[in-house]
Amino acid sequence: MQDGYYLSAYLHIDPLDYLLETIVRHDQNIALFLKKGSRVRLVRYWEIERWSGEKGHSRSFFSRSQAVSCVNELLAPLSLCIDDMVEIWGTPLLQTADDYHTMDEFPDLSYHSVSHLFSSIMMDTAKFYDEQIIGFAVDGGPDGVVDTAERVGKPYYSGCIVRKGKVTAFPVQSPGLLWGWAMFFFKLREGTLMALASASQSEYYASIDEVPPIYDGSWYFGKENLFEQMYEEINSLEEADAGVRFNGFDPRFTVEENKISMLMKHIQQVSYRIMEQNVEEALRHSGFKPEDTYLSLSGGFTLNCPTNHHLMSKYRFKGFMAPPCVGDSGLSLGMGLYAFHKKMGRERLQFSLEHAYYGGVEDNLDCCLQDAAFAPYILGMEAFDPVRAAGDLASGPIVWFDGASEIGPRALGHRSVLGDPRGTEAKNAINHIKRREWWRPVAPIVLKDHVKDWFVDGYDSPFMLHTFTLKADKAGLVPSVAHLDSTARVQTIARDGGSLSRLIGAFYEKTGVPMICNSSLNDKGEPIINRIVEALHFALTKGIKVAYINGVRVELKGHAGYPADGPYPRPLQLEVTEEERQQAWAGLNPHNVPLQVLQFYRDPITMRFHETYDLTRKEDAERLIKSARSKMRHQSYVMRGSSN
């Protein structure tokens, strides 16, 4: 396999999907690798949402030329372009090879799911080749772009056993579909639902003893969804039912929030049971002992921190493996690592995902501060001093922008709003700044060598993928990071000499508390901020007085006079002209198939993978209209985003 740069791209290019705004691949992303001999290094990782401003970026690219232009724009700061790549993988119309996928080695499993597996089991190849691992890729479902059979002819989810580099893969169940259903049903993000489940004390007394196996999306639709049935029962609860059907409404929350929380508690418990079943079957088939085995998790459900900690605490695995980009935002990583594993054959690949900071890099602070948009609002600048920064935390939240951005959906200390965890002021201020519910906690970043002193059964959690319970004598000391049940979603950090660890060290010396508040640097509905101008704009619009940017303390003034509002525009613009739109519609839909029919036909949940029509042929257009309208009238299905 030739040395050089390789690009793994989880994108989608299709003009009709662009025009219809069909969600085919969400959280689109690109990974740039450099191969030298047996060593492979991740050079840069781009999550398209950070550049487009569309949270969870799902918009398809209009054309190959538009996608190429985007890729070249991202590569340009590295003095590279798409023509410098030895190979490109993962996106039809962009890829330059077709031998990178899993359909030969794992023909009965989803390529999407196996790619998730490899993003985790190969994140440290020393463990992959020398240790034993059980891995599970648990998300909502595959995309069907490269592996067109994975939505209709295969199980959605994969697990594996790794014996010193030899992978045995098999179907598993995933609770991710339950959380995906709840997200669409309640129109709330999974993170909000997960937090609400434990926040309210309301509990519904009924239970779901057995859930049909969830190997694919087949039971997602219709009234066989047991949780939709349960919510109908919960929704009928009244105060008079307290003590009989449930324990009463928690007065801190609205009735609706209490009812959602009651259902999500049951979904969380069922999630535990599904994952326990996966683990126990894998351990039984492998003969592995947990204490000698690494647990590897990937897929969007891996963001469910309570489940991760539950499995680690119950089975006492040797260690935990998961990248920070565990959801679909990590698929370029997994697709790339699998491709290297496959194409390098018996050669032992050397790779390590050493940290989370492979995202965008900016070092143009001076230019930004001299810009006419920001210069009038700069009160002063000075070099980073951890003691001064610790004092700033006590005065209110600060903006923290440090080097390359983290990858994945969670702020890990390079694009953050930081605060003082003592008292509730920081939590209240951050929730106000980000327009979040009052009960939403902020996460702590904890010095690694103190995590066991403050948390029950605490251990290293560098990517904020585990929930720990604060010790009884500690919870009252840090109320801003404690959930209402005294748990916290923890990120640990080593004393590595970096600015963030020095700040927390200084805060610990000053207060005796070895942690600080951390929340992602973004407004509600906005992706994490990526550039310095976006960070300055955020601080000025939100009334934040101090921003630390790449080791420089920037004090701001005159916030009330700053004229702009709302999120700062992101650099990637994917709009096409009205003329291009009209020309595309004329060519793609010459027989005027109604828009509603086209949307139904292209929706991955309804017809997309079941029937194929050539819309340029009148006969096919007429057959599509007849078939789609029949299904729209008679088929029981759940439309994405339907109200409950």
Side-chain angles (χ1 to χ4, degrees):
M1 189 178 184
Q2 182 179 336
D3 285 355
Y5 289 102
Y6 290 80
L7 203 69
S8 176
Y10 185 71
L11 307 175
H12 185 54
I13 305 169
D14 188 288
L16 185 55
D17 288 324
Y18 174 93
L19 294 170
L20 292 171
E21 299 185 10
T22 312
I23 298 177
V24 180
R25 282 179 161 179
H26 61 82
D27 292 291
Q28 295 178 47
N29 49 90
I30 304 171
L32 175 66
F33 296 93
L34 177 61
K35 177 186 178 296
K36 290 185 177 180
S38 63
R39 293 185 178 275
V40 172
R41 178 169 65 90
L42 181 62
V43 178
R44 191 64 54 83
Y45 205 89
W46 297 278
E47 292 161 281
I48 302 302
E49 68 167 19
R50 309 279 183 98
W51 303 88
S52 71
E54 178 193 329
K55 194 172 181 69
H57 185 100
S58 59
R59 173 171 280 205
S60 300
F61 286 84
F62 180 71
S63 63
R64 182 183 185 278
S65 61
Q66 188 186 62
V68 168
S69 176
C70 168
V71 172
N72 281 334
E73 184 178 334
L74 297 175
L75 289 170
L78 300 171
S79 299
L80 295 170
C81 71
I82 201 166
D83 293 334
D84 295 317
M85 302 299 109
V86 177
E87 288 185 3
I88 301 171
W89 307 316
T91 300
L93 300 184
L94 198 63
Q95 65 195 34
T96 59
D98 193 31
D99 60 347
Y100 60 85
H101 52 69
T102 65
M103 278 92 85
D104 298 324
E105 187 175 0
F106 303 107
D108 298 324
L109 296 174
S110 154
Y111 172 56
H112 179 107
S113 186
V114 175
S115 296
H116 270 312
L117 278 179
F118 273 76
S119 73
S120 185
I121 63 175
M122 290 202 76
M123 63 181 288
D124 181 346
T125 54
K127 293 185 176 71
F128 178 79
Y129 290 111
D130 298 331
E131 301 280 358
Q132 54 193 37
I133 304 168
I134 60 170
F136 305 99
V138 279
D139 64 350
D143 59 90
V145 173
V146 172
D147 182 357
T148 56
E150 64 186 358
R151 292 283 302 204
V152 292
K154 300 181 181 182
Y156 281 8
Y157 318 111
S158 302
C160 69
I161 296 164
V162 182
R163 288 183 174 89
K164 295 188 175 182
K166 183 179 179 181
V167 180
T168 303
F170 42 81
V172 298
Q173 298 188 67
S174 172
L177 196 65
L178 304 179
W179 293 83
W181 166 81
M183 178 183 71
F184 292 127
F185 190 74
F186 293 117
K187 297 183 180 178
L188 294 171
R189 296 183 68 84
E190 293 101 317
T192 301
L193 293 168
M194 184 170 63
L196 188 56
S198 62
S200 164
Q201 294 181 355
S202 292
E203 295 184 15
Y204 183 52
Y205 290 155
S207 63
I208 293 179
D209 297 324
E210 188 172 348
V211 174
I214 309 175
Y215 289 99
D216 55 32
S218 58
W219 78 272
Y220 180 93
F221 307 102
K223 293 300 181 182
E224 64 267 31
N225 185 323
L226 301 178
F227 295 97
E228 186 166 345
Q229 296 173 22
M230 175 176 273
Y231 191 69
E232 289 180 2
E233 299 169 5
I234 290 173
N235 212 24
S236 70
L237 294 174
E238 299 178 354
E239 291 283 2
D241 297 312
V244 180
R245 298 174 63 197
F246 77 120
N247 66 342
F249 294 120
D250 188 328
R252 300 171 298 175
F253 296 86
T254 67
V255 170
E256 181 183 21
E257 287 171 338
N258 279 310
K259 289 180 176 180
I260 294 172
S261 178
M262 283 188 266
L263 182 69
M264 297 315 300
K265 285 181 174 67
H266 285 279
I267 288 180
Q268 183 66 66
Q269 290 302 314
V270 169
S271 298
Y272 288 160
R273 298 207 311 259
I274 291 171
M275 292 306 297
E276 287 171 358
Q277 183 177 341
N278 284 338
V279 166
E280 288 166 13
E281 288 183 359
L283 290 174
R284 183 168 58 252
H285 291 151
S286 66
F288 292 168
K289 295 181 179 179
E291 61 269 24
D292 300 324
T293 305
Y294 285 87
L295 173 64
S296 165
L297 295 181
S298 53
F301 180 72
T302 308
L303 293 169
N304 190 296
C305 298
T307 298
N308 300 341
H309 182 64
H310 174 78
L311 296 176
M312 291 297 292
S313 296
K314 179 170 183 174
Y315 296 100
R316 301 292 173 177
F317 287 101
K318 184 176 183 178
F320 182 83
M321 298 174 67
C325 48
V326 290
D328 282 8
S329 67
L331 278 167
S332 288
L333 175 65
M335 293 189 306
L337 290 176
Y338 178 80
F340 284 115
H341 170 70
K342 177 181 181 179
K343 294 165 78 73
M344 290 174 68
R346 296 183 178 180
E347 186 175 6
R348 178 170 169 144
L349 166 64
Q350 298 181 64
F351 176 84
S352 177
L353 191 76
E354 298 174 347
H355 50 74
Y357 311 110
Y358 294 94
V361 178
E362 275 210 338
D363 57 4
N364 60 338
L365 176 60
D366 289 342
C367 292
C368 295
L369 296 180
Q370 293 168 15
D371 189 298
F374 300 111
Y377 306 99
I378 308 304
L379 181 60
M381 296 167 50
E382 59 186 271
F384 168 68
D385 173 15
V387 175
R388 178 72 184 273
D392 286 332
L393 284 177
S395 300
I398 63 173
V399 164
W400 186 266
F401 185 108
D402 187 21
S405 64
E406 50 275 90
I407 60 176
R410 291 180 175 158
L412 299 173
H414 277 209
R415 301 289 187 274
S416 293
V417 180
L418 304 179
D420 184 344
R422 304 169 301 161
T424 59
E425 293 83 3
K427 181 187 78 168
N428 294 338
I430 291 172
N431 282 340
H432 175 73
I433 287 168
K434 299 182 65 173
R435 298 182 291 160
R436 306 194 314 174
E437 299 88 350
W438 67 269
W439 44 266
R440 291 284 294 274
V442 292
I445 305 180
V446 186
L447 291 174
K448 179 180 173 180
D449 50 354
H450 288 276
V451 67
K452 291 184 178 180
D453 300 330
W454 283 72
F455 295 92
V456 178
D457 200 22
Y459 47 82
D460 194 21
S461 176
F463 301 146
M464 203 191 294
L465 292 174
H466 300 270
T467 295
F468 305 142
T469 300
L470 280 152
K471 291 185 175 180
D473 62 333
K474 302 292 189 183
L477 302 178
V478 286
S480 273
V481 298
H483 297 207
L484 296 181
D485 61 355
S486 293
T487 61
R489 191 177 68 192
V490 173
Q491 177 192 354
T492 55
I493 185 171
R495 293 179 184 262
D496 58 4
S499 298
L500 185 60
S501 68
R502 291 168 61 204
L503 166 59
I504 301 174
F507 188 80
Y508 173 57
E509 292 296 324
K510 178 182 175 69
T511 66
V513 175
M515 68 187 77
I516 60 175
C517 295
N518 171 37
S519 187
S520 56
L521 184 58
N522 62 291
D523 203 351
K524 184 176 183 178
E526 179 188 25
I528 293 176
I529 278 169
N530 209 38
R531 299 179 297 155
I532 292 173
V533 290
E534 296 161 13
L536 291 170
H537 172 85
F538 180 88
L540 287 167
T541 57
K542 297 298 182 178
I544 298 175
K545 296 180 180 180
V546 176
Y548 282 86
I549 300 177
N550 293 341
V552 177
R553 181 183 187 272
V554 180
E555 189 170 358
L556 302 168
K557 65 178 181 178
H559 297 70
Y562 183 68
D565 197 9
Y568 195 88
R570 304 292 174 110
L572 180 61
Q573 300 297 317
L574 298 180
E575 296 303 321
V576 298
T577 67
E578 184 60 28
E579 181 180 359
E580 289 175 309
R581 282 178 170 272
Q582 294 303 322
Q583 288 178 351
W585 275 121
L588 294 167
N589 187 28
H591 302 291
N592 298 314
V593 175
L595 180 62
Q596 187 179 16
V597 170
L598 286 175
Q599 290 170 332
F600 188 86
Y601 169 53
R602 300 291 283 191
D603 192 323
I605 295 177
T606 53
M607 286 184 70
R608 186 183 190 97
F609 299 104
H610 298 274
E611 299 179 25
T612 302
Y613 297 91
D614 180 355
L615 298 180
T616 64
R617 297 180 68 248
K618 184 177 181 180
E619 298 83 356
D620 272 22
E622 291 173 347
R623 288 194 303 115
L624 168 60
I625 293 170
K626 183 177 180 180
S627 177
R629 283 180 170 165
S630 174
K631 289 177 172 61
M632 292 164 72
R633 283 194 303 268
H634 303 296
Q635 181 178 337
S636 174
Y637 66 94
V638 178
M639 289 291 287
R640 184 181 4 263
S642 63
S643 60
N644 53 60

